[in-house]
Amino acid sequence: MTDRDVRAALREWIVRTSGRIGGEALRDDTPILEQRILTSLHVLELILFLERLTGRPIDVQRLRPGAFRDVDSICRLVAAGPAS
Amino acid sequence: MSHALSVPGVLPGHRWLPSGQSSLTGPLLDLYRRVDRMFVGWAAEWGAGDYLFPPFLSARDLAGVDYLRSFPHLATFPVALDPADENLLEFTRGDVPDARGRVRLTATTPVLDVLTPAACYHFYVAFRGEQLEGPRYVTTRATCFRRETHYAPLARQSSFSMREIVCLGTADEVKAFLEDGRSRVARALDAIGLGVAWETATDPFFRPRQNPKHLAQRLDPLKTEMMAGGLAIGSVNLHRSYFGEAFQIRRDGRDASSGCIAFGVERWLHAIVACFGPDPAGWPSLEAV
């Protein structure tokens, strides 16, 4: 799966799950937790979505501050692979 | 550094109770008042309105922020006996309390309230549904109640005093308040000569590994604590629009953001005594800091 595919699927998932932002308003650097586009209750769903999308587990204990800041950050996390 | 002042009663004016509470008099009570006056002075620099709230918060009001599911291990409840005459009679027939000091309750009235766990909750309840015309700065000192696994004099108590300075406004207004607030506190700590380290922290959630809120706080840190010798004597907290959304408080066409600067008054006493010694003559002046 290319970065472009991941990015498109992620954006679509965020817009559908959030219900608070349209696809045209969501930029790749829009801070999604800071603006509460996704709330804390969505974080586990997001992890499960990313695991399904990439077929790789995410080690929650190794996630660092800012890992889910925006679409760009999440794509970097996905690209970095399972060790991230 | 230990969080326990080793010998209860060794401090002038301090008495430690087995229930995890302190009583204060004399020089230590004077220090308590001076510390809180210092906080009130800082709050006045934002023109913060001062409030006094009662000790109960409605459990229904806290449901909007899921407090009882997030922190059931900390919650303390006020409880009363069902007033039916027979129920009260049955209660009085038992050992009250028994030989171990325990009260065996007969039927109780429904529990509708929680003893205040943190001072600033009262503000969001009080301002529910309001449209704010500008940033709102407020302050209160509340006696807070938390169940803990262990207690230590002035450092970890079942009831303690929390002073908070709170800002509700736009995201930018709250961000500016917290930045100014942290600088203000840092300047005062320098003047007092009390060294602290500022450390990112998370709230003490129940079963944090299973709680998405804990994970979200790790990913998006919102709390910075002022650590004096390993003890958090205060914190700077950004809530984003969490409370604004839960209590329908609006600012500038959006859910209001909020943030608070919180101080544990007894912990400041602990830090001052730990740093400057138990002799009141050595305690710093807190005027004009």
Side-chain angles (χ1 to χ4, degrees):
Chain A
M1 187 171 249
T2 66
D3 176 76
R4 192 172 168 175
D5 295 335
V6 171
R7 211 168 275 266
L10 179 58
R11 292 168 55 89
E12 194 271 331
W13 185 88
I14 292 171
V15 168
R16 181 163 40 84
T17 305
S18 161
R20 298 177 180 207
I21 191 166
E24 65 291 345
L26 179 66
R27 300 195 318 261
D28 284 355
D29 64 350
T30 302
I32 54 179
L33 291 176
E34 187 178 322
Q35 294 190 2
R36 290 181 60 76
I37 293 165
L38 295 182
T39 69
S40 56
L41 299 178
H42 295 127
V43 168
L44 287 180
E45 286 179 58
L46 175 57
I47 290 170
L48 291 173
F49 167 74
L50 293 172
E51 289 183 336
R52 276 199 308 272
L53 185 69
T54 62
R56 293 195 306 259
I58 291 176
D59 183 351
V60 171
Q61 295 309 315
R62 295 184 67 171
L63 290 174
R64 293 283 171 263
F68 287 177
R69 184 182 184 281
D70 50 28
V71 170
D72 280 337
S73 310
I74 298 169
C75 287
R76 276 197 297 277
L77 177 84
V78 168
S84 58
Chain B
M1 181 184 299
S2 165
H3 294 169
L5 293 172
S6 53
V7 186
V10 76
L11 275 175
H14 180 253
R15 183 163 164 258
W16 178 239
L17 307 172
S19 53
Q21 302 176 96
S22 288
S23 67
L24 308 178
T25 187
L28 205 59
L29 177 57
D30 179 58
L31 181 63
Y32 173 99
R33 289 183 171 139
R34 287 191 293 127
V35 165
D36 191 50
R37 266 202 305 275
M38 175 177 70
F39 300 147
V40 171
W42 300 344
E45 293 172 16
W46 283 280
D50 200 1
Y51 287 69
L52 177 65
F53 292 110
F56 295 3
L57 273 160
S58 143
R60 186 175 279 169
D61 284 335
L62 285 181
V65 290
D66 215 24
Y67 179 82
L68 289 174
R69 281 205 186 85
S70 297
F71 306 103
H73 54 309
L74 302 180
T76 326
F77 303 94
V79 62
L81 292 168
D82 185 306
D85 199 57
E86 277 188 18
N87 183 53
L88 297 178
L89 191 60
E90 187 191 341
F91 175 77
T92 59
R93 280 179 182 143
D95 285 340
V96 279
D98 69 13
R100 295 171 64 184
R102 297 177 304 191
V103 179
R104 195 174 59 81
L105 299 177
T106 52
T108 61
T109 55
V111 174
L112 300 174
D113 299 297
V114 181
L115 293 177
T116 301
C120 71
Y121 285 121
H122 287 284
F123 288 119
Y124 315 119
V125 176
F127 301 152
R128 184 200 301 271
E130 286 198 37
Q131 304 272 344
L132 307 180
E133 296 303 318
R136 181 173 293 177
Y137 303 99
V138 287
T139 186
T140 191
R141 187 188 72 209
T143 300
C144 295
F145 300 83
R146 292 187 191 176
R147 295 292 303 167
E148 304 274 6
T149 54
H150 66 283
Y151 299 110
L154 303 180
R156 187 169 296 281
Q157 303 193 160
S158 59
S159 79
F160 56 95
S161 304
M162 186 186 294
R163 165 67 66 178
E164 294 205 44
I165 310 170
V166 180
C167 171
L168 297 101
T170 64
D172 286 345
E173 287 162 349
V174 172
K175 184 166 176 268
F177 162 74
L178 294 179
E179 286 171 2
D180 291 350
R182 177 169 164 167
S183 303
R184 182 67 189 87
V185 174
R187 201 162 69 241
L189 287 164
D190 274 351
I192 296 168
L194 196 57
V196 304
W198 296 83
E199 293 182 5
T200 300
T202 52
D203 287 319
F205 289 100
F206 174 60
R207 295 190 171 178
R209 280 176 174 243
Q210 280 91 48
N211 191 324
K213 290 181 183 173
H214 179 258
L215 175 58
Q217 279 198 2
R218 275 184 43 223
L219 293 170
D220 182 28
L222 302 173
K223 176 189 272 299
T224 307
E225 290 182 333
M226 6 182 146
M227 304 295 294
L231 183 67
I233 60 172
S235 61
V236 175
N237 303 276
L238 174 61
H239 314 130
R240 302 211 190 280
S241 57
Y242 185 64
F243 292 114
E245 203 177 310
F247 292 95
Q248 302 89 49
I249 305 166
R250 306 276 292 171
R251 167 85 181 105
D252 205 20
R254 293 169 174 243
D255 294 320
S257 290
S258 63
C260 67
I261 306 168
F263 306 101
V265 183
E266 288 86 351
R267 286 186 169 191
W268 276 67
L269 304 190
H270 186 284
I272 288 170
V273 170
C275 183
F276 299 98
D279 180 358
W283 295 346
S285 161
L286 302 175
E287 306 297 321
V289 296

